[in-house]
Amino acid sequence: MANLDLYATLARQLRADSIRCSTAAGSGHPTSSLSAADLMAVLLGGHLRFDWSEPRNPANDHLIFSKGHASPLNYALFRAAGAITDQELMTFRKLGSRLEGHPTPVLPWVDVATGSLGQGLPIAVGIALGAQRLLSAPYHVWTLTGDSELAEGSIWEGLDHAGHERLANFTAIFDVNRLGQRGPTELEWNLDAYAARVAAFGCEPIVIDGHDLAAIDAAFTRAKRAERPTVIVAKTTKGRGVSFLENKEGWHGKALDAEQEKRALAEIGDGPSRTFPTLKPDPWQPPKGPASRKPEWKTYREPVATRKAYGEALAALGAARADVVVLDGEVSNSTHAEDFKATAAERFFEMYIAEQQMVAAAVGMQVIGFVPFASSFAAFMTRAFDFIRMAAISRANLRLCGSHAGVSIGEDGPSQMALEDLAMMRAVHGSTVLYPCDANQTARLVGLMAEREGISYLRTTREKTPILYPDRLEDFRIGGSRIVRGGERDDAVAVIAAGITVHEAIKAADELKGAVKLRVIDAYSVKPMDAAALVEAVRVTGGRLCVVEDHWVEGGLGDAVLAALAEAGVAHDVRRFVHLAVRAMPGSGKPAELLDAAGISARRIADAVRDLARA
Amino acid sequence: MANLDLYATLARQLRADSIRCSTAAGSGHPTSSLSAADLMAVLLGGHLRFDWSEPRNPANDHLIFSKGHASPLNYALFRAAGAITDQELMTFRKLGSRLEGHPTPVLPWVDVATGSLGQGLPIAVGIALGAQRLLSAPYHVWTLTGDSELAEGSIWEGLDHAGHERLANFTAIFDVNRLGQRGPTELEWNLDAYAARVAAFGCEPIVIDGHDLAAIDAAFTRAKRAERPTVIVAKTTKGRGVSFLENKEGWHGKALDAEQEKRALAEIGDGPSRTFPTLKPDPWQPPKGPASRKPEWKTYREPVATRKAYGEALAALGAARADVVVLDGEVSNSTHAEDFKATAAERFFEMYIAEQQMVAAAVGMQVIGFVPFASSFAAFMTRAFDFIRMAAISRANLRLCGSHAGVSIGEDGPSQMALEDLAMMRAVHGSTVLYPCDANQTARLVGLMAEREGISYLRTTREKTPILYPDRLEDFRIGGSRIVRGGERDDAVAVIAAGITVHEAIKAADELKGAVKLRVIDAYSVKPMDAAALVEAVRVTGGRLCVVEDHWVEGGLGDAVLAALAEAGVAHDVRRFVHLAVRAMPGSGKPAELLDAAGISARRIADAVRDLARA
């Protein structure tokens, strides 16, 4: 039991440092740190196996602060492990410091950004899932959650999957300190209710006093030996260790002032801040799969849906690379992600209808070196927007695919139509947004996505589309575009389209043959946009442009084109700009009927072009 | 027990009609309809109290098909109730028909659009919550869910709230048919697991055979008498009633062809389609609150944060109107929604950290006539994007407020900064997007939101901002803007700003006084945008514009301005366009430091304006 003294000393330092750094910052969450200090002291002092000098050691345990606002505790833990100095600890929340208000992977010991509650746990599930199923990894995945965030449905999506997959390498620690930001939580200290929920979702609850160091120690030991995922439901006190903070309302997210800090440190028993001995992992390397080879893309000559080409491209990737994993939200026979199973069934993850968990799991898997592709109907990607936004802050390399985009899906109606996905995905920091119009282009773009850093998004179409690029598999690039009709120096009007509307624009061009010299640009790279091609089109046509897209009028291709023109400094040269996009709420109907009703069919494009040519 | 015959006959008709209408459409979900036909037959035949000739009768029960893809069953039910004719039933999924692929409120018997799974139940919770707490309404709220959608965390957010609020007027019916779209569900027919989850979340599970008409009848009777929310966990068979469909994979979302239909109807025992007797509600009117009066807005003279003004405006509304309700996601002391409690505490709903449920509950409350305002940090509104998108399809009148927008929040870092909320909210059909820069303007805009149809969004700022409009409380309008500096016919450059950047632009104007004649436009109405003011600014300045916003470069104010200029046909007159927006991932720091680091501070604006003036 010698460790208990060590734990107590360590907990004392974690408490003192949590207060010191937040007081220096003048903001932060000391009381939310104090409640979990004993839990983290025992974890760091006796259970977490982590090589602090080698944060990328593949044998390291993973520890994710799902309660990211307890960053003072997280950073105090890094300080106690010797990963950062006391000096750096005191830069908390200052401009340029790696110690941001909430943890981000700017720090090499942080896997992912947290701070939007209910996300760290589902991401930890993703790490544990990839580690157990594909790597048989020896490490354990720990995540610390607050109790307020247990109201987020995403927590239960995460535990549902942990339970279903029997992730014995996963342990969540619920820091049940009873107090949220503005008052008591829904369940306060009803630990039995939490335990019943955990058990009902297929995980093993371990209920303890979160300030009893011996009990915590025993719980962690039990958790590591369990054959199922475990959740330590720890009763704690917010502000624990400082009499005037303990279990007090009104102290959430407030730093102590200098005088309060002095009193608090006197109570805690501040000593010189030091580095503690911690456990290292045994050496281990992940199994090396076969060397990657060049994927053998299928070549298409007959009409095929881009969603089908997506699935077949995944299958080609699966055969060529051992690091690609595919996740889907129970619609893999629609997105065609299921085709991946033909070449790499063990790397296909069925996430059921839980898009938040799907994206979280993908984020987790890229933490441990996989190259994830995750798909659902494009409309349902909106379910995971907060996770996608946070993935950008996590500097995650993530590939998403949304199928069945636009009114062109037809009969299913507006709930299944994505008419806002381009707006959503353009507004993700550093994102790449691609929207292919034929199967060969799709395959090529999927290949580029596999190599791409950051978050990339592919928008696919339900309906079969003709093949435009039978022999040009190799020359697509992100940030490019293609002229698919016209291209002469005397083109009178340019239509800029992407995906399904490229085919409508081509039909319009054919209809107008002899009447209007029309250039049709396939702007498959919505972000980054091929500004040079736009500038050239403006120059050639005297600034007569028509953008046509199967998306709401806001935030999609039209906005992207205008922004690119403005950025290129040629807005002034745009004489006439017509934007055909979805402006009224669609209903059900046949794809062609809905394209026409929305004003984005070949006929409507031809009408617009005739007007433009006259102007 | 005479009813059992009626139920059986009704169920037979619901099955036949579900098949007939989907076969006529050539698409749809007959098998998902057949599994729940017995459940719905008993509900319609013996329990649902609904005046089909008066869908807006306030005493009506509510029935929401959370499994919206079972629309054939939903419409067959309307047909059996006599609400629609057999002829109309056969227009299912055709262009112009009210019977869309998934139900929408285009039909007066449909409360809300469903079809994105996991949403109908949380909305039903919202209806039940408002009905129980504020109306003591006699009606019951029923919702039919599929089993696949039980993987969505939002379902558990809903049941958590139903349990916590002890909503005895709420009953969910889980149609556990074991098969999802692409194969078995996670829990298949493990009814005990579902029941344990339901119980752990505070609701009363009633496990039955979903094809035993007597058992269903008893379950509904028990559900209506229960003192807690109830969940009927019904074991069903997908495709029930047709031998070649029953419990078969590969039949999800597939209509039968003519020959299959014939065989199916022969098995079911098709008879002439008819109208059945149903139960009407007893007459009831909701309690009439005091008559509305004009709100007494507070007038501000000293700097105050717009989020604070939002809260105080809610309080003014609460005193003036009995129909306004306020919901918040456990951050009401930050959004200041808590101020509403000062005047209307009983109409404040704490939704804890469950943004999806918060928006769903707001959608539910507007169904029964309330005027909901729902708030969280703007960053966390992204969590509910799918719900907001669907609310537009529901034609919901919904007011949302996102606080703490932009890098100007300072130390908390990027996870708490909304830098994509304008893009998200602009891309919601029919939305209104407002971004005030001072407290008096905020109050006025909140007042306009209360009167506004559709989905409106208010973006507020964490920091205190100076008062710009001390005496002009009354003259803001949606779609307007204000010139806050310059306004002369010889202004050289126009800066278009909103919210926090209006104050930076004003500082820049003051700095440039005597050097550059600068017009600063407060574009508080981001959607709809004041195109006339932009056109005038272009004309006056010779097309020298600078947009500055605390948002990612994509999808926000800059895109909105460019789109409005293009739509107005004056893109050609824009000589120089500079867009100052957030382009690199921010960290932590002081608000002023982060504004400057992002390139959107007064200094950066002044630099840009100097360049523009020279061009």
Side-chain angles (χ1 to χ4, degrees), chain B residues 200-216:
Chain B
F201 276 71
C203 303
E204 182 177 328
I206 305 173
V207 178
I208 58 166
D209 172 349
H211 302 303
D212 178 336
L213 298 173
I216 301 168

Side-chain angles (χ1 to χ4, degrees), chain A residues 152 160 182 186 330 355, chain B residues 152 160 182 186 330 355:
Chain A
E152 288 283 12
D160 178 44
R182 41 121 295 285
E186 209 180 30
E330 222 275 314
E355 296 82 7
Chain B
E152 286 283 13
D160 178 44
R182 40 121 295 286
E186 209 181 30
E330 223 275 313
E355 296 82 6

Side-chain angles (χ1 to χ4, degrees), chain A residues 124 135 164 176 185 273 317 324 351 396 423 428 435 503 523 529 603:
Chain A
L135 304 176
H164 182 68
V176 184
T185 60
S273 181
L317 272 178
V324 171
M351 302 311 291
V428 170
Y435 185 13
H503 301 285
M529 173 65 66
R603 181 174 74 89

Side-chain angles (χ1 to χ4, degrees), chain B residues 55-225:
Chain B
R56 292 292 163 249
N57 182 335
N60 283 341
D61 276 3
H62 291 265
L63 169 60
I64 295 180
F65 269 56
S66 196
K67 53 178 296 186
H69 57 287
S71 52
L73 177 62
N74 200 359
Y75 301 151
L77 186 150
F78 294 162
R79 159 69 194 106
I84 62 170
T85 63
D86 192 61
Q87 226 168 351
E88 181 166 12
L89 180 65
M90 302 307 280
T91 66
F92 179 46
R93 287 176 165 248
K94 296 202 169 73
L95 189 70
S97 170
R98 299 189 295 178
L99 309 189
E100 298 184 15
H102 294 74
T104 75
V106 168
L107 287 165
W109 312 278
V110 172
D111 284 332
V112 291
T114 53
S116 179
L117 290 169
Q119 299 205 17
L121 183 148
I123 292 170
V125 168
I127 297 175
L129 179 54
Q132 174 169 301
R133 189 179 324 162
L134 300 181
L135 303 176
S136 303
Y139 52 77
H140 205 81
V141 183
W142 309 89
T143 182
L144 175 70
T145 78
D147 48 350
S148 282
E149 68 181 305
L150 304 177
E152 286 283 13
S154 57
I155 291 287
W156 303 98
E157 291 182 16
L159 293 182
D160 178 44
H161 283 78
H164 182 67
E165 305 273 357
R166 294 190 70 87
L167 302 179
N169 57 345
F170 171 87
T171 299
I173 304 157
F174 287 2
D175 174 18
V176 184
N177 67 23
R178 195 189 71 83
L179 290 174
Q181 171 175 321
R182 40 121 295 286
T185 60
E186 209 181 30
L187 292 176
E188 302 202 28
W189 273 327
N190 188 346
L191 301 206
D192 291 345
Y194 286 122
R197 292 179 184 195
V198 165
F201 276 71
C203 303
E204 182 177 328
I206 305 173
V207 178
I208 58 166
D209 172 349
H211 302 303
D212 178 336
L213 298 173
I216 301 168
D217 196 46
F220 288 154
T221 301
R222 178 174 153 194
K224 284 206 65 167
R225 288 185 189 150

